[in-house]
Amino acid sequence: MGTLRTDTKPFQREEPQHSRLRNRDENYDYEAGRFKGFLRCDRQQCGEIVVVAGSFTTEFHHDFDHEAEQPITHEVTTYRPHLMSPAPEIIQYPKKLNKDSKEHLLRSFVLFWVDYASCANRLRIVVEYLLDQFGIERENAKGDFLNLASRIEKLTKTKPDQADYLNALRWLGNAGSHDGNVDFNDLLWCLDMLEHAMIELFEERDAKRRTEAKRIIAVKGKPDVRR
């Protein structure tokens, strides 16, 4: 997996007139405006180019260089992307993930830079389709609709640990839908939980680790001749 890095050209930055006038009138020592530019994947086999745009602030910190006996100014610029296209894949997902889950997951990566609440809601939809893939019905025997909480409860019987993670995603998605606001760190945690839950549901890595741990304990760390 590669890393997105700034392209050879620096970001283009523009400060709107109203911002310049306000800063001048109120003696603010910073700039604020919009930026756009390109990022490039540093993995040689990839080289993907990503368009990025958003807002920026630059703070100016003044100091005095006693050795040179002259004032110096340090600039600290912070960029806040509001759009990235194509959006980076924030978490990894299994190759076996069904088409509908993958489609909404990829859309959540786009919304992550635009609106946290909308991103959380999209992750909730991923959970719905993920449960479809594992045979959790959307209706009961009478044909009545099962809400997401009821469907996750069915998963609890076989995958209690993963059910807890999916419930967290459900609640965050509810908050995004009804309140229109979610905490950034909670969103990051839920992305991490979703990644972990998908890996365990498809690959059962924890179960395999426990099996191997018991095997190594049984042979007291010595080479297992039965393998």
Side-chain angles (χ1 to χ4, degrees), residues 92-227:
Q92 296 181 328
Y93 53 88
K95 293 181 179 180
K96 295 180 181 179
L97 187 65
N98 64 31
K99 180 181 177 181
D100 290 321
S101 293
K102 181 179 177 180
E103 178 183 333
H104 289 286
L105 181 61
L106 294 178
R107 187 60 188 166
S108 77
F109 298 155
V110 175
L111 291 169
F112 178 83
W113 307 100
V114 180
D115 183 81
Y116 298 150
S118 298
C119 177
N121 179 257
R122 191 67 63 152
L123 293 177
R124 187 186 187 282
I125 297 174
V126 173
V127 174
E128 291 274 16
Y129 284 108
L130 184 62
L131 292 176
D132 287 347
Q133 190 166 357
F134 284 89
I136 307 297
E137 300 292 341
R138 293 187 180 233
E139 297 178 350
N140 62 19
K142 298 179 180 179
D144 298 326
F145 171 77
L146 292 176
N147 60 27
L148 184 54
S150 299
R151 297 184 72 206
I152 294 174
E153 180 65 26
K154 288 180 173 295
L155 187 69
T156 305
K157 298 175 182 178
T158 56
K159 304 285 185 180
D161 293 337
Q162 312 325 316
D164 284 344
Y165 296 139
L166 298 186
N167 255 322
L169 284 151
R170 176 178 68 85
W171 280 111
L172 196 73
N174 288 350
S177 298
H178 303 306
D179 302 333
N181 183 45
V182 299
D183 181 78
F184 174 69
N185 288 321
D186 287 346
L187 181 59
L188 289 180
W189 270 115
C190 279
L191 281 162
D192 179 76
M193 291 175 198
L194 178 58
E195 180 180 50
H196 178 79
M198 288 190 296
I199 290 172
E200 288 306 314
L201 286 170
F202 284 97
E203 302 176 16
E204 299 184 331
R205 290 186 187 177
D206 279 348
K208 292 175 182 176
R209 288 190 189 98
R210 284 192 291 268
T211 298
E212 289 302 305
K214 291 178 180 179
R215 180 189 61 79
I216 293 171
I217 292 170
V219 298
K220 298 181 179 180
K222 297 177 181 180
D224 190 345
V225 295
R226 296 171 297 176
R227 296 186 70 191

Side-chain angles (χ1 to χ4, degrees), residues 55-98:
S55 57
F56 80 91
T57 58
T58 298
E59 298 179 356
F60 300 93
H61 301 276
H62 303 291
D63 203 348
F64 188 83
D65 188 335
H66 293 281
E67 292 185 2
E69 295 185 347
Q70 62 181 12
I72 55 175
T73 300
H74 303 282
E75 296 183 17
V76 179
T77 299
T78 302
Y79 295 97
R80 168 64 173 90
H82 298 297
L83 177 146
M84 295 186 77
S85 180
E89 296 184 356
I90 301 172
I91 61 173
Q92 296 181 328
Y93 53 88
K95 293 181 179 180
K96 295 180 181 179
L97 187 65
N98 64 31

